Structure formats: structure tokens, C-alpha cells
Amino acid sequence: MTRSERPIPVPEDAEARRALAPVICYPNDALPRPDVSWMRTLRQGAIKTGEVLVPPRDARCFEVPAGHFFRITSVEGPQVGDLNIWNRNDLSERFYSGKTRALHGTHLTTGEQMWSSFPHLRPMATIVEDTLEWYGIDAFGGSVHDVIGTRCDPYTGNLLSGTQYHHCCHSNLTRALADHLDLPLAEAELAVHDVLNVFMCTGFTRDTGQYFMKASPVRPGDYLEFFAEIDLLGNLSACPGGDCSSEHSSDTAACFPLLVETFAPAEGDLKGWQSPARNEYDGTHGR
């Protein structure tokens, strides 16, 4: 029996309960504000150090030292990407999409940060440029660069349609990490985590609250650029859904590569800057 089929009595004060004003769970006024202006000035003198072209329906890893920049660009056609990042020196510190969502909201843009998992909980990367920032929130409640989707994966595909599809983002990220670190697939898979959906346009339906996707507004030349707050290992999948206008986890959508470029600040420009420290909670948990 579904929710709509169950006879549920409606209390007399139902409307009054619904009318209660919401309260933000994690007011972020106390968050340290990244100095994006300084980062942009630093970027002006930066020199390109490398690039990785991520093939359609596949993934590639890349490394970014603390204080450097990386840019993800749509280069041939509208394409979304699924991004994982780890501490390059400690895979147990990884991007925490749920806490990032709680602190910043469902979608990220300039000046917002990707936070790491417990017990670290510190900024891993700061968004310094977003050419799709103009999109805002559309009439459907959709926006770009979400931290609500988990990544397309073969397990859900098998659950819902009995498929054995191997080029979904979860599998792409697993293969790329295994290759980059010379790990067995089973070990690499355990490190793959929920993503930042770069360029993806998503939201929740108003009637059922279901996660939806729609055609991404990204076009060749659009990019999202980050400042690495700590030494990073990145992993980007060019989603098999292409621009995610109809479906993902299949070979029917038009898909395109994504370009990742890295940039180093000029010598001496980082003088006096340090990576953010780990969270200062004492870890005793009341014992």
C-alpha cells in the first residue's frame, strides 16, 4: 500500500502545523569566509602545470597540491561530471557531500566549499569561478552543481531494471582510482563516495519530493574552478547521461569529454598561507 492509498485521518490543526515557519538547521554565518578575491588575484599569476582529458563514459584521476588550482571545463558538448576528492596523503579524508549540503545548501557556487569527512571536517576545496552562476534556481526548483545526487551506479540499475551496466559513474570512478593507485577494484570501490555533480541541473519535485534532473545549461567553454585547500587527489567521471536531459547509465545519450586543468601559483605568492587545520573537536565523545 502506498502513501496515497492509506486512509490517514487529517487533524483539525493540520494547516496550522504546515504553516509553521522553517528554521535553518545549520546557520552558516559563523563559518570562516574564504578570501575569494585573494584567490582570484593568486590565480592571475598562476602557471598551467598539466591537464587530463576525461573520455565520455569514463573517469580519470588527477592530483592538485595545496594552494594550487584546478578547472573543469566542458570542451565539446553539454556534459555533466561526477567529482570525488580525497586528501592525497590519506584516503580516509574524503569529500562529505551530506555535511557540505547542510552547510551550504543543495547546490554549490562561487565562494562555497567542499568539506571533508569526520573527524577532519575542514575545507578541501573552494569554488573560485563558476560560469553557470547566472542560472540560479529555475521555476522547477532546479539548479546546477548539486550535492544531493549520489552518482549513477550499477547496483541501483540492477535493482530497478535488472541491468549489468559497467560505465556508470560509480564504476568509472572505481576503475580510475584502482588504476591510479594500483589497487584491486574491490579496495578502490570502498573509497569511492558521494559526489559533487558538476554542471548537472537537478532539484526535488514539489509534489512527491523526488530527485529530478533536467538538461544541463552547460555549453562548451563553461567551467568550474577550484582552489585546493589541502593536497588533493581528484577523480572525475564524464557521466553516461551526457547532459542528463533524459536518462543516465546507458549508451544512448550523446556524451562528450571533460577537461581538467591544473595551475600553480607564482613562486612566493603563497608565502604565509597554510592549509586549514583539522577540526578541533577533542574526539572524546563524552568518555
Side-chain angles (χ1 to χ4, degrees), residues 70-88:
F70 69 99
R71 175 185 288 193
I72 300 172
T73 304
S74 168
V75 289
E76 291 183 15
Q79 176 66 44
V80 308
D82 285 39
L83 177 66
N84 269 187
I85 56 173
W86 298 264
N87 180 334
R88 189 176 66 181

Side-chain angles (χ1 to χ4, degrees), residues 22-280:
V23 176
I24 299 299
C25 295
Y26 293 95
N28 62 15
D29 294 342
L31 280 180
R33 297 298 174 186
D35 190 345
V36 175
S37 295
W38 171 77
M39 294 173 185
R40 286 173 168 169
T41 299
L42 190 70
R43 174 67 175 84
Q44 289 176 8
I47 300 170
K48 184 172 176 178
T49 55
E51 66 176 47
V52 173
L53 189 66
V54 182
R57 296 186 178 86
D58 211 340
R60 292 291 185 271
C61 288
F62 56 95
E63 298 189 9
V64 192
H68 291 213
F69 297 85
F70 69 99
R71 175 185 288 193
I72 300 172
T73 304
S74 168
V75 289
E76 291 183 15
Q79 176 66 44
V80 308
D82 285 39
L83 177 66
N84 269 187
I85 56 173
W86 298 264
N87 180 334
R88 189 176 66 181
N89 308 303
D90 177 7
L91 289 188
S92 73
E93 183 174 11
R94 61 187 69 178
F95 173 51
Y96 188 176
S97 67
K99 188 56 66 179
T100 299
R101 179 172 66 248
L103 292 174
H104 293 300
T106 57
H107 299 77
L108 302 186
T109 190
T110 307
E112 295 176 330
Q113 299 181 298
M114 299 176 70
W115 293 79
S116 68
S117 53
F118 298 156
H120 314 277
L121 194 61
R122 58 176 169 173
M124 303 182 78
T126 298
I127 299 175
V128 294
E129 298 289 352
D130 175 11
T131 64
L132 293 178
E133 188 173 1
W134 58 267
Y135 191 88
I137 300 175
D138 64 30
F140 301 97
S143 192
V144 292
H145 315 309
D146 82 71
V147 283
I148 48 180
T150 57
R151 66 203 172 276
C152 56
D153 70 271
Y155 302 101
T156 304
N158 182 259
L159 177 68
L160 297 178
S161 56
T163 59
Q164 294 287 317
Y165 186 71
H166 306 302
H167 291 274
C168 51
C169 288
H170 178 85
S171 296
N172 296 346
L173 295 167
T174 297
R175 291 193 310 274
L177 186 64
D179 291 346
H180 189 77
L181 296 180
D182 194 23
L183 295 174
L185 277 175
E187 184 177 344
E189 183 177 18
L190 296 178
V192 171
H193 51 278
D194 286 352
V195 299
L196 171 62
N197 278 310
V198 178
F199 305 139
M200 193 169 181
C201 190
T202 60
F204 292 106
T205 60
R206 299 301 192 214
D207 53 351
T208 63
Q210 288 175 286
Y211 180 53
F212 73 75
M213 62 186 187
K214 55 180 292 191
S216 173
V218 69
R219 297 294 181 268
D222 281 320
Y223 61 88
L224 192 63
E225 187 163 295
F226 305 80
F227 175 76
E229 300 279 358
I230 64 173
D231 290 339
L232 294 178
L233 169 60
N235 193 355
L236 180 67
S237 171
C239 181
D243 68 355
C244 287
S245 58
S246 58
E247 62 178 325
H248 54 58
S249 297
S250 80
D251 290 329
T252 60
C255 291
F256 304 93
L258 291 170
L259 179 66
V260 181
E261 299 170 281
T262 54
F263 304 86
E267 186 175 356
D269 280 2
L270 280 175
K271 186 177 181 180
W273 177 83
Q274 292 182 329
S275 288
R278 284 180 43 165
N279 191 276
E280 294 181 354

